[in-house]
């Protein structure tokens, strides 16, 4: 579902009201409609934003996701999180901050070419400690703003309890003083309208032909032989049980997308080939909301396009508004065990 352009509609209503004659009798229904408050919808959560969109861009912070970078700070305040494969079979997080800008987020690590397709749909600005020269060129060529400590971006500091490269922190409030607001093209995911009546199947705009979801309360997402992320449904939200956060991110919806993975064309200092997850195309997806899991297919037409889903019956699948964690799992090498 596309975010509705509500501001132009309000403008038209005001113009119409200004052009009416003083002799015209007021229309009670029109008066009530004009009096209703126009509420924006967040492109990252699908939730109403009564005070309008924030006066800041979407910052996407690259966060270390190993014990070496623990604890992760500020993750619980993110609007959306994506976990992606990096070299050595490890993973890294891309945490989206829009509605709230914490003064302490980290520990910040370097970017990857995969981040282009992750950031582009909402014109996100990537915050990273740095990146390989080829990767930086690709990201900037794609028109994505990069805030890199290596290039002197403001707001970075050192965690005195850690050592490089696991000790970099970012103050997003300070960084925002140097940033410009960008126009967000549309929603990141296909959201159920906040006005829509909640369906019995909470993660789908269901039809009679939609296969019934299955019950789940735990999930194990494997990225490589050495790396897996474990989840448990607790208090109505999905939370990692082997995470590294000072305070864990509570996901209303957990989305697992199986993606092709290619070679980024260079190696890390240890000689490991750096992978690049392909987030354009299509593949299997599993959408878990509450205690239900729905098998689906994901599609993304371009790096700038939103991610859309269809269920096994080929019907569009819309997500209930809320906080989402997306797992970009490599096809073949990765797996999902949900029960």
């Amino acid at each position: 579902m596309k975010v509705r352009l509500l501001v132009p509609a309000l403008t038209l209503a005001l113009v119409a009201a200004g052009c009416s004659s003083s002799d015209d009798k007021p229309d009670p229904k029109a008066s009530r409609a004009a009096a209703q408050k126009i509420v924006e919808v967040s492109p990252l959560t699908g939730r109403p934003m009564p005070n309008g969109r924030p006066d800041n861009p979407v910052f996407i912070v690259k966060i270390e996701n190993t014990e070496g970078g623990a604890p992760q700070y500020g993750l619980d305040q993110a609007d959306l999180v994506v976990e992606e494969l990096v070299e050595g079979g490890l993973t890294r997080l891309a945490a989206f901050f829009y509605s709230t800008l914490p003064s302490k987020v980290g520990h910040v690590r370097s970017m990857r070419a995969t981040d282009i397709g992750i950031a582009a749909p909402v014109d996100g600005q990537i915050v990273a400690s740095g990146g390989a020269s080829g990767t930086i060129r690709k990201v900037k060529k794609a028109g994505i703003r990069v805030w890199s400590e290596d290039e002197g971006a403001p707001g970075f500091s050192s965690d005195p309890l850690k050592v490089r490269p696991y000790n970099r922190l970012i103050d997003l409030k300070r960084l925002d003083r140097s940033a410009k607001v960008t126009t967000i093209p549309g929603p990141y995911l296909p959201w159920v309208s906040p006005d829509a009546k909640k369906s019995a199947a909470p993660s789908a705009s269901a039809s009679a032909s939609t296969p019934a979801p299955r019950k789940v309360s735990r999930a194990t997402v494997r990225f490589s032989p050495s790396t897996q992320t474990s989840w448990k449904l607790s208090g109505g939200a999905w939370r990692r049980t082997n995470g590294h956060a000072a305070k864990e991110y509570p996901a209303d919806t957990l989305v697992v997308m199986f993606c092709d993975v290619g070679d980024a064309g260079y190696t890390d200092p240890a000689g490991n080939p750096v992978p690049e997850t392909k987030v354009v195309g299509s593949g299997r997806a599993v959408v878990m909301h509450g205690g239900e899991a729905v098998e689906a297919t994901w599609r993304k037409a371009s790096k700038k396009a939103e991610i859309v889903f269809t269920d096994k019956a080929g019907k569009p699948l819309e997500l209930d508004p809320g906080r989402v964690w997306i797992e970009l799992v490599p096809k073949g090498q990765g797996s999902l065990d949900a029960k």
Side-chain angles (χ1 to χ4, degrees):
M1 169 186 174
K2 299 292 184 184
V3 173
R4 290 173 290 176
L5 299 178
L6 298 175
V7 174
L10 176 60
T11 302
L12 288 174
L14 292 175
V15 170
C19 294
S20 63
S21 168
S22 58
D23 295 331
D24 293 339
K25 293 182 179 180
D27 183 344
K29 292 183 179 180
S31 298
R32 284 197 298 271
Q36 290 179 347
K37 185 176 181 180
I38 304 301
V39 178
E40 292 267 21
V41 174
S42 169
L44 294 175
T45 66
R47 288 174 172 168
M49 305 185 80
N51 298 320
R53 292 191 177 185
D55 190 26
N56 55 260
V58 176
F59 290 113
I60 301 173
V61 184
K62 298 305 304 294
I63 298 179
E64 173 68 21
N65 195 40
T66 67
E67 186 63 35
Q72 295 162 333
Y73 294 112
L75 191 64
D76 61 302
Q77 298 179 65
D79 293 284
L80 184 146
V81 180
V82 177
E83 184 172 7
E84 62 186 282
L85 185 71
V86 292
E87 58 275 13
L90 303 176
T91 63
R92 192 157 293 172
L93 305 183
F96 291 61
F97 294 91
Y98 184 49
S99 60
T100 301
L101 299 183
S103 57
K104 184 179 181 180
V105 179
H107 296 90
V108 184
R109 293 299 308 274
S110 57
M111 71 190 84
R112 297 291 182 273
T114 302
D115 300 327
I116 298 172
I118 291 174
V122 288
D123 202 11
Q125 302 188 14
I126 296 175
V127 182
S129 58
S133 58
T135 296
I136 294 173
R137 284 195 299 270
K138 286 182 181 179
V139 173
K140 290 184 177 180
K141 186 177 180 180
I144 294 173
R145 182 68 165 91
V146 174
W147 299 97
S148 166
E149 184 184 30
D150 287 351
E151 296 181 344
F156 280 93
S157 64
S158 298
D159 183 342
L161 300 179
K162 310 289 290 185
V163 297
R164 280 187 182 271
Y166 307 110
N167 67 342
R168 313 320 294 159
L169 299 170
I170 185 68
D171 180 344
L172 291 179
K173 288 186 173 69
R174 182 180 172 190
L175 177 61
D176 185 47
R177 296 181 203 140
S178 301
K180 293 182 180 179
V181 178
T182 55
T183 300
I184 298 176
Y188 199 84
L189 295 163
W191 303 111
V192 172
S193 168
D195 299 327
K197 184 178 180 181
K198 193 173 180 65
S199 63
S203 58
S205 179
S207 67
S209 60
T210 299
R214 60 191 179 94
K215 298 294 184 182
V216 291
S217 60
R218 291 180 177 272
T220 300
V221 181
R222 184 170 293 280
F223 285 83
S224 70
S226 61
T227 301
Q228 68 179 35
T229 303
S230 299
W231 295 88
K232 180 180 179 181
L233 184 65
S234 176
W238 286 92
R239 304 173 195 270
R240 295 184 299 175
T241 59
N242 65 338
H244 305 290
K247 189 175 181 181
E248 279 297 336
Y249 180 90
D252 298 295
T253 302
L254 175 62
V255 177
V256 179
M257 294 168 49
F258 290 86
C259 308
D260 290 321
V261 177
D263 190 337
Y266 64 98
T267 60
D268 69 3
N272 296 305
V274 176
E276 181 178 345
T277 301
K278 308 298 183 181
V279 291
V280 175
S282 64
R284 179 194 173 205
V286 180
V287 179
M288 288 169 275
H289 178 90
E292 297 182 328
V294 176
E295 284 284 339
T297 297
W298 69 267
R299 289 183 175 83
K300 197 169 186 294
S302 68
K303 290 183 178 180
K304 291 186 177 182
E306 72 173 287
I307 305 166
V308 296
F309 302 95
T310 54
D311 64 21
K312 277 194 169 182
K315 303 294 183 181
L317 193 67
E318 296 178 323
L319 307 187
D320 279 320
R323 302 167 90 184
V324 177
W325 183 297
I326 301 174
E327 304 278 39
L328 299 180
V329 181
K331 286 181 181 177
Q333 183 180 3
S335 64
L336 168 65
D337 181 16
K339 54 190 177 182

mmCIF file of all heavy atoms in Angstrom, residues 188-226:
data_model
loop_
_atom_site.group_PDB
_atom_site.id
_atom_site.type_symbol
_atom_site.label_atom_id
_atom_site.label_comp_id
_atom_site.label_asym_id
_atom_site.label_seq_id
_atom_site.Cartn_x
_atom_site.Cartn_y
_atom_site.Cartn_z
ATOM 1 N N TYR A 188 8.390 1.936 3.133
ATOM 2 C CA TYR A 188 9.444 0.922 3.007
ATOM 3 C C TYR A 188 8.835 -0.451 2.758
ATOM 4 O O TYR A 188 9.406 -1.280 2.050
ATOM 5 C CB TYR A 188 10.292 0.892 4.279
ATOM 6 C CG TYR A 188 11.638 0.241 4.087
ATOM 7 C CD1 TYR A 188 12.712 0.976 3.578
ATOM 8 C CD2 TYR A 188 11.847 -1.094 4.401
ATOM 9 C CE1 TYR A 188 13.953 0.391 3.386
ATOM 10 C CE2 TYR A 188 13.092 -1.689 4.208
ATOM 11 C CZ TYR A 188 14.143 -0.949 3.700
ATOM 12 O OH TYR A 188 15.365 -1.542 3.511
ATOM 13 N N LEU A 189 7.673 -0.678 3.355
ATOM 14 C CA LEU A 189 6.976 -1.955 3.255
ATOM 15 C C LEU A 189 5.491 -1.698 2.969
ATOM 16 O O LEU A 189 4.997 -0.592 3.205
ATOM 17 C CB LEU A 189 7.125 -2.738 4.576
ATOM 18 C CG LEU A 189 8.548 -3.185 4.941
ATOM 19 C CD1 LEU A 189 8.628 -3.546 6.418
ATOM 20 C CD2 LEU A 189 8.980 -4.376 4.082
ATOM 21 N N PRO A 190 4.759 -2.699 2.497
ATOM 22 C CA PRO A 190 3.333 -2.512 2.219
ATOM 23 C C PRO A 190 2.510 -2.608 3.505
ATOM 24 O O PRO A 190 2.248 -3.697 4.011
ATOM 25 C CB PRO A 190 3.007 -3.669 1.255
ATOM 26 C CG PRO A 190 3.971 -4.751 1.641
ATOM 27 C CD PRO A 190 5.231 -4.055 2.100
ATOM 28 N N TRP A 191 2.100 -1.467 4.024
ATOM 29 C CA TRP A 191 1.413 -1.435 5.313
ATOM 30 C C TRP A 191 -0.104 -1.534 5.150
ATOM 31 O O TRP A 191 -0.680 -0.964 4.233
ATOM 32 C CB TRP A 191 1.720 -0.137 6.066
ATOM 33 C CG TRP A 191 3.174 0.107 6.290
ATOM 34 C CD1 TRP A 191 3.946 1.077 5.718
ATOM 35 C CD2 TRP A 191 4.051 -0.642 7.150
ATOM 36 N NE1 TRP A 191 5.246 0.975 6.166
ATOM 37 C CE2 TRP A 191 5.342 -0.065 7.041
ATOM 38 C CE3 TRP A 191 3.858 -1.733 7.998
ATOM 39 C CZ2 TRP A 191 6.430 -0.539 7.746
ATOM 40 C CZ3 TRP A 191 4.944 -2.214 8.696
ATOM 41 C CH2 TRP A 191 6.209 -1.616 8.579
ATOM 42 N N VAL A 192 -0.728 -2.228 6.089
ATOM 43 C CA VAL A 192 -2.180 -2.175 6.208
ATOM 44 C C VAL A 192 -2.543 -0.766 6.646
ATOM 45 O O VAL A 192 -1.885 -0.190 7.520
ATOM 46 C CB VAL A 192 -2.690 -3.201 7.239
ATOM 47 C CG1 VAL A 192 -4.184 -3.017 7.512
ATOM 48 C CG2 VAL A 192 -2.426 -4.632 6.764
ATOM 49 N N SER A 193 -3.570 -0.181 6.055
ATOM 50 C CA SER A 193 -3.984 1.163 6.436
ATOM 51 C C SER A 193 -4.355 1.204 7.908
ATOM 52 O O SER A 193 -5.026 0.300 8.411
ATOM 53 C CB SER A 193 -5.190 1.598 5.593
ATOM 54 O OG SER A 193 -5.767 2.771 6.129
ATOM 55 N N PRO A 194 -3.932 2.242 8.639
ATOM 56 C CA PRO A 194 -4.311 2.366 10.052
ATOM 57 C C PRO A 194 -5.821 2.411 10.247
ATOM 58 O O PRO A 194 -6.313 2.084 11.319
ATOM 59 C CB PRO A 194 -3.671 3.691 10.485
ATOM 60 C CG PRO A 194 -2.565 3.912 9.508
ATOM 61 C CD PRO A 194 -3.049 3.343 8.215
ATOM 62 N N ASP A 195 -6.556 2.806 9.197
ATOM 63 C CA ASP A 195 -8.019 2.881 9.293
ATOM 64 C C ASP A 195 -8.690 1.549 9.024
ATOM 65 O O ASP A 195 -9.890 1.395 9.258
ATOM 66 C CB ASP A 195 -8.556 3.906 8.285
ATOM 67 C CG ASP A 195 -8.020 5.297 8.551
ATOM 68 O OD1 ASP A 195 -7.804 5.623 9.734
ATOM 69 O OD2 ASP A 195 -7.810 6.049 7.585
ATOM 70 N N ALA A 196 -7.909 0.584 8.501
ATOM 71 C CA ALA A 196 -8.502 -0.705 8.147
ATOM 72 C C ALA A 196 -8.837 -1.498 9.400
ATOM 73 O O ALA A 196 -8.144 -1.439 10.409
ATOM 74 C CB ALA A 196 -7.544 -1.497 7.267
ATOM 75 N N LYS A 197 -9.907 -2.263 9.313
ATOM 76 C CA LYS A 197 -10.317 -3.119 10.426
ATOM 77 C C LYS A 197 -9.329 -4.255 10.560
ATOM 78 O O LYS A 197 -8.954 -4.892 9.579
ATOM 79 C CB LYS A 197 -11.723 -3.668 10.182
ATOM 80 C CG LYS A 197 -12.265 -4.491 11.346
ATOM 81 C CD LYS A 197 -13.692 -4.955 11.062
ATOM 82 C CE LYS A 197 -14.239 -5.780 12.216
ATOM 83 N NZ LYS A 197 -15.614 -6.248 11.952
ATOM 84 N N LYS A 198 -8.858 -4.507 11.764
ATOM 85 C CA LYS A 198 -7.861 -5.553 11.991
ATOM 86 C C LYS A 198 -8.455 -6.906 11.649
ATOM 87 O O LYS A 198 -9.536 -7.255 12.075
ATOM 88 C CB LYS A 198 -7.398 -5.540 13.452
ATOM 89 C CG LYS A 198 -6.159 -6.375 13.698
ATOM 90 C CD LYS A 198 -5.676 -6.155 15.120
ATOM 91 C CE LYS A 198 -4.437 -6.981 15.405
ATOM 92 N NZ LYS A 198 -3.287 -6.580 14.618
ATOM 93 N N SER A 199 -7.719 -7.664 10.836
ATOM 94 C CA SER A 199 -8.198 -8.968 10.397
ATOM 95 C C SER A 199 -7.807 -10.053 11.382
ATOM 96 O O SER A 199 -6.973 -9.871 12.254
ATOM 97 C CB SER A 199 -7.601 -9.288 9.020
ATOM 98 O OG SER A 199 -6.194 -9.378 9.105
ATOM 99 N N ALA A 200 -8.408 -11.234 11.205
ATOM 100 C CA ALA A 200 -8.095 -12.360 12.081
ATOM 101 C C ALA A 200 -6.653 -12.808 11.867
ATOM 102 O O ALA A 200 -5.989 -13.264 12.776
ATOM 103 C CB ALA A 200 -9.050 -13.517 11.804
ATOM 104 N N ALA A 201 -6.172 -12.724 10.613
ATOM 105 C CA ALA A 201 -4.771 -13.025 10.324
ATOM 106 C C ALA A 201 -3.999 -11.720 10.381
ATOM 107 O O ALA A 201 -4.063 -10.920 9.461
ATOM 108 C CB ALA A 201 -4.640 -13.661 8.940
ATOM 109 N N PRO A 202 -3.280 -11.437 11.476
ATOM 110 C CA PRO A 202 -2.759 -10.100 11.732
ATOM 111 C C PRO A 202 -1.710 -9.603 10.765
ATOM 112 O O PRO A 202 -1.499 -8.420 10.674
ATOM 113 C CB PRO A 202 -2.174 -10.223 13.145
ATOM 114 C CG PRO A 202 -1.877 -11.664 13.315
ATOM 115 C CD PRO A 202 -2.925 -12.386 12.538
ATOM 116 N N SER A 203 -1.037 -10.487 10.028
ATOM 117 C CA SER A 203 0.031 -10.010 9.169
ATOM 118 C C SER A 203 -0.375 -9.933 7.707
ATOM 119 O O SER A 203 0.450 -9.695 6.849
ATOM 120 C CB SER A 203 1.255 -10.925 9.314
ATOM 121 O OG SER A 203 0.923 -12.246 8.987
ATOM 122 N N ALA A 204 -1.637 -10.162 7.399
ATOM 123 C CA ALA A 204 -2.031 -10.174 6.002
ATOM 124 C C ALA A 204 -3.366 -9.507 5.791
ATOM 125 O O ALA A 204 -4.235 -9.516 6.647
ATOM 126 C CB ALA A 204 -2.102 -11.616 5.483
ATOM 127 N N SER A 205 -3.506 -8.908 4.609
ATOM 128 C CA SER A 205 -4.813 -8.469 4.151
ATOM 129 C C SER A 205 -5.410 -9.691 3.482
ATOM 130 O O SER A 205 -5.221 -9.937 2.295
ATOM 131 C CB SER A 205 -4.669 -7.307 3.167
ATOM 132 O OG SER A 205 -5.914 -6.888 2.702
ATOM 133 N N ALA A 206 -6.083 -10.513 4.255
ATOM 134 C CA ALA A 206 -6.390 -11.876 3.849
ATOM 135 C C ALA A 206 -7.628 -11.973 2.971
ATOM 136 O O ALA A 206 -8.496 -11.118 2.970
ATOM 137 C CB ALA A 206 -6.579 -12.755 5.083
ATOM 138 N N SER A 207 -7.703 -13.060 2.208
ATOM 139 C CA SER A 207 -8.893 -13.391 1.433
ATOM 140 C C SER A 207 -9.240 -14.836 1.733
ATOM 141 O O SER A 207 -8.508 -15.544 2.410
ATOM 142 C CB SER A 207 -8.610 -13.209 -0.057
ATOM 143 O OG SER A 207 -7.670 -14.163 -0.508
ATOM 144 N N ALA A 208 -10.372 -15.280 1.187
ATOM 145 C CA ALA A 208 -10.825 -16.639 1.477
ATOM 146 C C ALA A 208 -9.845 -17.676 0.952
ATOM 147 O O ALA A 208 -9.753 -18.787 1.477
ATOM 148 C CB ALA A 208 -12.202 -16.858 0.863
ATOM 149 N N SER A 209 -9.078 -17.325 -0.114
ATOM 150 C CA SER A 209 -8.147 -18.278 -0.702
ATOM 151 C C SER A 209 -6.760 -18.236 -0.070
ATOM 152 O O SER A 209 -5.881 -18.993 -0.442
ATOM 153 C CB SER A 209 -8.015 -18.012 -2.206
ATOM 154 O OG SER A 209 -7.536 -16.699 -2.429
ATOM 155 N N THR A 210 -6.556 -17.332 0.891
ATOM 156 C CA THR A 210 -5.255 -17.219 1.536
ATOM 157 C C THR A 210 -5.013 -18.405 2.463
ATOM 158 O O THR A 210 -5.848 -18.698 3.322
ATOM 159 C CB THR A 210 -5.169 -15.924 2.364
ATOM 160 O OG1 THR A 210 -5.344 -14.811 1.490
ATOM 161 C CG2 THR A 210 -3.823 -15.818 3.046
ATOM 162 N N PRO A 211 -3.893 -19.128 2.306
ATOM 163 C CA PRO A 211 -3.606 -20.248 3.198
ATOM 164 C C PRO A 211 -3.535 -19.787 4.652
ATOM 165 O O PRO A 211 -3.059 -18.693 4.945
ATOM 166 C CB PRO A 211 -2.237 -20.738 2.711
ATOM 167 C CG PRO A 211 -2.128 -20.246 1.306
ATOM 168 C CD PRO A 211 -2.865 -18.948 1.277
ATOM 169 N N ALA A 212 -4.034 -20.628 5.541
ATOM 170 C CA ALA A 212 -4.045 -20.271 6.964
ATOM 171 C C ALA A 212 -2.615 -20.200 7.500
ATOM 172 O O ALA A 212 -1.774 -21.037 7.157
ATOM 173 C CB ALA A 212 -4.843 -21.300 7.749
ATOM 174 N N PRO A 213 -2.303 -19.201 8.337
ATOM 175 C CA PRO A 213 -0.966 -19.127 8.933
ATOM 176 C C PRO A 213 -0.769 -20.247 9.939
ATOM 177 O O PRO A 213 -1.739 -20.812 10.467
ATOM 178 C CB PRO A 213 -0.969 -17.763 9.617
ATOM 179 C CG PRO A 213 -2.407 -17.463 9.873
ATOM 180 C CD PRO A 213 -3.168 -18.092 8.753
ATOM 181 N N ARG A 214 0.494 -20.576 10.210
ATOM 182 C CA ARG A 214 0.765 -21.603 11.218
ATOM 183 C C ARG A 214 1.244 -20.945 12.499
ATOM 184 O O ARG A 214 1.790 -19.847 12.495
ATOM 185 C CB ARG A 214 1.786 -22.623 10.720
ATOM 186 C CG ARG A 214 3.137 -22.063 10.343
ATOM 187 C CD ARG A 214 3.971 -23.116 9.624
ATOM 188 N NE ARG A 214 5.269 -22.606 9.212
ATOM 189 C CZ ARG A 214 6.377 -22.733 9.921
ATOM 190 N NH1 ARG A 214 6.349 -23.348 11.102
ATOM 191 N NH2 ARG A 214 7.529 -22.253 9.468
ATOM 192 N N LYS A 215 1.040 -21.641 13.604
ATOM 193 C CA LYS A 215 1.400 -21.108 14.912
ATOM 194 C C LYS A 215 2.905 -21.254 15.152
ATOM 195 O O LYS A 215 3.486 -22.306 14.898
ATOM 196 C CB LYS A 215 0.632 -21.842 16.013
ATOM 197 C CG LYS A 215 -0.886 -21.693 15.912
ATOM 198 C CD LYS A 215 -1.315 -20.257 16.150
ATOM 199 C CE LYS A 215 -2.831 -20.112 16.143
ATOM 200 N NZ LYS A 215 -3.252 -18.703 16.321
ATOM 201 N N VAL A 216 3.525 -20.186 15.642
ATOM 202 C CA VAL A 216 4.952 -20.202 15.963
ATOM 203 C C VAL A 216 5.190 -19.356 17.206
ATOM 204 O O VAL A 216 4.450 -18.418 17.482
ATOM 205 C CB VAL A 216 5.818 -19.659 14.808
ATOM 206 C CG1 VAL A 216 5.807 -20.592 13.610
ATOM 207 C CG2 VAL A 216 5.367 -18.264 14.403
ATOM 208 N N SER A 217 6.243 -19.683 17.939
ATOM 209 C CA SER A 217 6.639 -18.870 19.089
ATOM 210 C C SER A 217 8.147 -18.746 19.211
ATOM 211 O O SER A 217 8.642 -17.962 20.010
ATOM 212 C CB SER A 217 6.073 -19.460 20.386
ATOM 213 O OG SER A 217 6.560 -20.778 20.596
ATOM 214 N N ARG A 218 8.873 -19.529 18.401
ATOM 215 C CA ARG A 218 10.335 -19.455 18.384
ATOM 216 C C ARG A 218 10.828 -19.555 16.949
ATOM 217 O O ARG A 218 10.177 -20.182 16.107
ATOM 218 C CB ARG A 218 10.967 -20.588 19.214
ATOM 219 C CG ARG A 218 10.748 -20.451 20.712
ATOM 220 C CD ARG A 218 11.398 -21.605 21.470
ATOM 221 N NE ARG A 218 11.263 -21.463 22.906
ATOM 222 C CZ ARG A 218 12.102 -20.818 23.696
ATOM 223 N NH1 ARG A 218 13.196 -20.258 23.176
ATOM 224 N NH2 ARG A 218 11.907 -20.732 24.989
ATOM 225 N N ALA A 219 11.981 -18.960 16.680
ATOM 226 C CA ALA A 219 12.562 -19.035 15.346
ATOM 227 C C ALA A 219 14.083 -18.969 15.439
ATOM 228 O O ALA A 219 14.630 -18.214 16.250
ATOM 229 C CB ALA A 219 12.045 -17.903 14.463
ATOM 230 N N THR A 220 14.741 -19.764 14.605
ATOM 231 C CA THR A 220 16.194 -19.723 14.487
ATOM 232 C C THR A 220 16.536 -19.442 13.036
ATOM 233 O O THR A 220 16.155 -20.202 12.139
ATOM 234 C CB THR A 220 16.835 -21.046 14.922
ATOM 235 O OG1 THR A 220 16.507 -21.304 16.292
ATOM 236 C CG2 THR A 220 18.355 -20.984 14.782
ATOM 237 N N VAL A 221 17.216 -18.337 12.803
ATOM 238 C CA VAL A 221 17.594 -17.906 11.454
ATOM 239 C C VAL A 221 19.094 -18.132 11.305
ATOM 240 O O VAL A 221 19.890 -17.520 12.012
ATOM 241 C CB VAL A 221 17.244 -16.422 11.226
ATOM 242 C CG1 VAL A 221 17.614 -16.007 9.809
ATOM 243 C CG2 VAL A 221 15.761 -16.169 11.495
ATOM 244 N N ARG A 222 19.474 -19.007 10.366
ATOM 245 C CA ARG A 222 20.895 -19.323 10.185
ATOM 246 C C ARG A 222 21.415 -18.625 8.927
ATOM 247 O O ARG A 222 20.870 -18.780 7.835
ATOM 248 C CB ARG A 222 21.108 -20.835 10.079
ATOM 249 C CG ARG A 222 22.572 -21.236 9.984
ATOM 250 C CD ARG A 222 22.768 -22.736 10.130
ATOM 251 N NE ARG A 222 22.434 -23.187 11.467
ATOM 252 C CZ ARG A 222 23.237 -23.085 12.514
ATOM 253 N NH1 ARG A 222 24.437 -22.534 12.389
ATOM 254 N NH2 ARG A 222 22.858 -23.531 13.695
ATOM 255 N N PHE A 223 22.494 -17.853 9.094
ATOM 256 C CA PHE A 223 23.126 -17.150 7.987
ATOM 257 C C PHE A 223 24.311 -17.921 7.419
ATOM 258 O O PHE A 223 24.635 -17.784 6.239
ATOM 259 C CB PHE A 223 23.608 -15.775 8.454
ATOM 260 C CG PHE A 223 22.507 -14.776 8.642
ATOM 261 C CD1 PHE A 223 21.774 -14.745 9.820
ATOM 262 C CD2 PHE A 223 22.192 -13.870 7.647
ATOM 263 C CE1 PHE A 223 20.754 -13.826 10.005
ATOM 264 C CE2 PHE A 223 21.163 -12.948 7.816
ATOM 265 C CZ PHE A 223 20.442 -12.921 9.004
ATOM 266 N N SER A 224 24.975 -18.693 8.273
ATOM 267 C CA SER A 224 26.170 -19.446 7.882
ATOM 268 C C SER A 224 26.381 -20.533 8.923
ATOM 269 O O SER A 224 25.708 -20.534 9.971
ATOM 270 C CB SER A 224 27.381 -18.514 7.821
ATOM 271 O OG SER A 224 27.757 -18.098 9.125
ATOM 272 N N PRO A 225 27.308 -21.456 8.690
ATOM 273 C CA PRO A 225 27.567 -22.483 9.705
ATOM 274 C C PRO A 225 27.953 -21.909 11.060
ATOM 275 O O PRO A 225 27.766 -22.547 12.097
ATOM 276 C CB PRO A 225 28.713 -23.292 9.094
ATOM 277 C CG PRO A 225 28.535 -23.130 7.624
ATOM 278 C CD PRO A 225 28.048 -21.716 7.446
ATOM 279 N N SER A 226 28.496 -20.679 11.069
ATOM 280 C CA SER A 226 28.969 -20.103 12.327
ATOM 281 C C SER A 226 28.039 -19.056 12.934
ATOM 282 O O SER A 226 28.258 -18.623 14.070
ATOM 283 C CB SER A 226 30.347 -19.455 12.107
ATOM 284 O OG SER A 226 30.253 -18.406 11.147
#
